[in-house]
Amino acid sequence: MTSHWILGPGAIGRLLAHSLSPLADITLVGRRALPEQQTITTPEGEARSQHLNVITTSQLVANAPAPPAFVHITTKAMAAEAALESVARVIPATTPLVLWQNGFLAQPRLTECWREPVLCATTTEGAYLTGDDGVFHAGRGHTFVGDLTNRHGALAQRLAHQLSRAGLAATAVDDIHSRLWQKLAVNAAINPLVALNGLRNGELRGAAYAGRVEAVVKEVAAIMRAEGIQAPNGGSGLDAWLALAWDVIEKTANNKASMLQDVEGKRLTERGAILGPLIESGERRGVGCEVLRGLDRELVVLEASY
Ligand code: KPL
């Protein structure tokens, strides 16, 4: 059986663990102890309970287990490097990593510092935790897998095949860089505004916020053009980016975005991974990013007030 370690027992980590468990040897690793009996509620409302091998990082390191076929890192973007560091001395530097973070911060850094292969995954699976022993698989989506160097297509295919067999539809792609940036564009359009204003995603459609969404997307579209990122769905220019943002807002109207959940839980947000690469690119390429910078500043103030 292929062995997978999953570092980060958050919603995506647990969804992966539950889905892959019947087909693979799974170890779910977190900083603190969690119950081994875990429940997943499917999008159809069926609750399934199963025993998962859930251990802490220190137990894993002390046990010195055989290296796995894949190490999935499912932490928040800013915790990804520390998660890898915590297990790096018990795995060979050629162990395939799979990065599941939002934004574009962990992916280039870890691709640079790990010997390889480093796969990146971007997913539209919807999931949230219901407690220490439960996760709700709120909506089925699709996962794209690839690597930034385009040298590991066969490995990406193998992982996509396993995920699909596990019920998480997945495709290996050779344009993961563009796909990560397209997701980044969506997250930049939605997450800071809903987090700062305490809104469900759908409330951005209201007159008070629609103009602010459009102002963000306008800057994002110009940065994407400068970065050479293909506009979504074969479209071109601002209209295609606006259509993508409004489509996701519509489809996730009832969602509490991840950044709002972080603010409500008084945790640091992923502003650095989402707004950071856009602002850095805008500044480097001389593309205006005042609106994005303003959102970033507001988030800094909010995080400092916890
Ligand atoms: O990815 C998301 C998030 O919450 O981080 C969106 C697409 C905004 C859905 O809520």
Side-chain angles (χ1 to χ4, degrees), residues 135-192:
V135 61
F136 180 41
H137 187 187
R140 295 190 196 283
H142 200 94
T143 301
F144 293 99
V145 186
D147 71 291
L148 294 175
T149 59
N150 269 340
R151 282 207 296 260
H152 301 289
L155 190 70
Q157 296 267 13
R158 200 177 126 210
L159 179 65
H161 180 68
Q162 277 215 0
L163 291 171
S164 298
R165 276 185 56 217
L168 301 173
T171 310
V173 293
D174 59 9
D175 61 351
I176 195 71
H177 178 265
S178 293
R179 289 176 189 271
L180 289 167
W181 276 72
Q182 288 180 358
K183 177 96 189 287
L184 182 83
V186 168
N187 286 131
I190 300 175
N191 294 22

Side-chain angles (χ1 to χ4, degrees), residues 102 183 186-187 190-191 201 248 252 255-259:
N102 267 337
K183 177 96 189 287
V186 168
N187 286 131
I190 300 175
N191 294 22
N201 295 354
V248 176
T252 64
N255 271 27
K256 258 191 192 181
S258 53
M259 197 177 273

Side-chain angles (χ1 to χ4, degrees), residues 1-4 20-26 67-70 158 162 165:
M1 267 218 227
T2 313
S3 133
H4 298 249
L20 285 167
S21 251
L23 307 174
D25 176 12
I26 300 301
F70 293 98
R158 200 177 126 210
Q162 277 215 0
R165 276 185 56 217

